[in-house]
Amino acid sequence: MAAFITSLESVAEIVLVIALGYWLRGSGRLGDEFKGNISFIIMKIALPASIFVSVLKYLNRDKLASLSGGLVFTFASFTIGYIVAWILTKVFRIRKGRRGTFINMFVNANTIFIGLPLNMALFGDKSLPYFLIYYVMNTISTWAVGIFFISSDDPTVEKGEKKDFNWKKLLPAPLVGFLVSLVFLLLAIPVPEWINKTLDMVGGIVTPMSLIYIGIILADAGLKSIRFDRDTILALLGRFVVAPVIMIGIILVGGSMIGSMPQLESSSFIIQSAAPGLAVLPILVDQSHGDVDYATNLVTTSTVLFVIVVPILMQVANLI
């Protein structure tokens, strides 16, 4: 029951902010210029700051070394997830403009903004080290791999057409923020408190601004854009069924080979593997001229359905 109430509260907060963006856009208080600039603010400024602060806040060198075993399990689950998702885009012929979104929904989750508070509420402070394992791998996966599936899925680029290589896309700003934070972490470079607070303040706008952006997209498309077509159902099954099954399979196989992991660790991994889609996903898709309505629909529906999924996964995790 506690899991259900916690997940319900987390989802309610998100839905209310999306509704705010929907109302502001629908009432004409947010114009096209704001819609066009919000993605730049999030992707180039706020998100790198948020990632930098989060890594230094939740990790240290000792934790990074002690948790390396769990990184192997999560790395395997992410790798298999990408392979399975890519194969399914071919089997079900997911059209260009949706493939990157489809793959990212299978693999990458909204861990820090939904996964973290839920994990702490369900398992307490003792679960934080295990959450951090998944968070680190999810961050690397999103900004080193997932974003390239989206950028390579640009429907404005014809098949076989050569596109000038953009060196800036090799290291997107969020990934740069993560790499810089690792340098500071590993070299124990001190960050002045006032700078840390400034970055934390700037990074704090990522989630609300991303959710407001989703509300803007919904207002432009209309509530009818929330739908359960074939591609949406397949992606949701990937997020809530395939991804947890892959993680459970790796935990069982790995446990039989190198010994079982702590119950708290396996439960944390399973819950995080089914967290909703990234709030910034529609913004990433928009930057690559993909199907923004599809991405928005997936983020919205996965966030709402997560309320139902969590109690079920908790029962499954207790059996592992």
Side-chain angles (χ1 to χ4, degrees):
M1 188 63 181
F4 179 78
I5 294 175
T6 301
S7 58
L8 184 62
E9 290 174 345
S10 298
V11 169
E13 294 171 5
I14 291 170
V15 171
L16 286 174
V17 181
I18 291 175
L20 175 62
Y22 181 91
W23 175 74
L24 289 172
R25 178 64 167 175
S27 62
R29 288 172 171 79
L30 296 181
D32 292 335
E33 187 176 355
F34 179 83
K35 178 184 176 182
N37 292 336
I38 190 173
S39 63
F40 175 85
I41 295 173
I42 293 173
M43 297 304 302
K44 304 295 184 182
I45 301 173
L47 194 51
S50 174
I51 292 174
F52 179 86
V53 172
S54 295
V55 170
L56 296 182
K57 180 179 180 181
Y58 295 118
L59 286 178
N60 56 48
R61 285 181 294 180
D62 293 336
K63 282 184 180 179
L64 205 57
S66 65
L67 300 176
S68 58
L71 288 173
V72 175
F73 283 82
T74 53
F75 175 80
S77 71
F78 277 79
T79 301
I80 295 173
Y82 276 117
I83 294 172
V84 171
W86 181 82
I87 291 174
L88 290 178
T89 62
K90 302 299 181 182
V91 172
F92 291 101
R93 298 184 179 183
I94 306 298
R95 65 178 174 82
K96 195 167 186 178
R98 288 188 171 189
R99 296 169 192 163
T101 304
F102 185 88
I103 291 172
N104 272 270
M105 276 299 296
F106 263 72
V107 184
N108 301 313
N110 192 347
T111 53
I112 195 66
F113 301 116
I114 296 181
L116 175 58
L118 183 63
N119 217 76
M120 297 293 284
L122 294 178
F123 308 121
D125 294 342
K126 293 182 180 180
S127 70
L128 184 58
Y130 305 126
F131 164 81
L132 291 175
I133 297 175
Y134 202 94
Y135 166 70
V136 168
M137 190 54 61
N138 190 78
T139 301
I140 295 173
S141 171
T142 300
W143 303 112
V145 182
I147 193 171
F148 291 105
F149 277 106
I150 294 175
S151 61
S152 63
D153 189 38
D154 191 332
T156 63
V157 179
E158 297 294 331
K159 186 176 182 180
E161 178 184 346
K162 290 186 177 181
K163 189 177 181 181
D164 293 335
F165 186 77
N166 187 348
W167 286 97
K168 292 182 179 180
K169 288 188 176 181
L170 182 63
L171 288 174
L175 179 58
V176 172
F178 179 74
L179 295 176
V180 171
S181 69
L182 285 184
V183 172
F184 274 71
L185 178 67
L186 296 175
L187 298 181
I189 301 174
V191 179
E193 185 64 21
W194 66 272
I195 292 180
N196 191 65
K197 287 184 177 180
T198 301
L199 293 175
D200 190 33
M201 184 188 304
V202 174
I205 72 173
V206 171
T207 300
M209 293 294 276
S210 297
L211 297 176
I212 286 174
Y213 181 85
I214 293 174
I216 292 172
I217 298 297
L218 283 174
D220 289 344
L223 290 177
K224 291 181 180 179
S225 64
I226 298 179
R227 62 199 178 280
F228 290 93
D229 57 18
R230 189 202 66 160
D231 290 356
T232 297
I233 293 173
L234 288 172
L236 291 174
L237 287 174
R239 179 94 297 267
F240 293 138
V241 179
V242 178
V245 166
I246 290 174
M247 178 57 74
I248 291 171
I250 289 173
I251 290 173
L252 294 176
V253 172
S256 64
M257 295 175 62
I258 61 176
S260 60
M261 65 170 59
Q263 175 73 35
L264 194 58
E265 184 173 12
S266 63
S267 297
S268 296
F269 286 175
I270 293 170
I271 291 297
Q272 294 304 317
S273 69
L278 296 163
V280 296
L281 190 57
I283 297 175
L284 297 176
V285 173
D286 184 44
Q287 290 183 338
S288 294
H289 311 104
D291 191 336
V292 181
D293 291 341
Y294 177 63
T296 300
N297 183 53
L298 284 178
V299 173
T300 304
T301 53
S302 66
T303 300
V304 174
L305 291 176
F306 189 53
V307 178
I308 302 172
V309 173
V310 169
I312 297 174
L313 279 181
M314 282 295 294
Q315 297 304 314
V316 174
N318 290 333
L319 300 176
I320 303 301

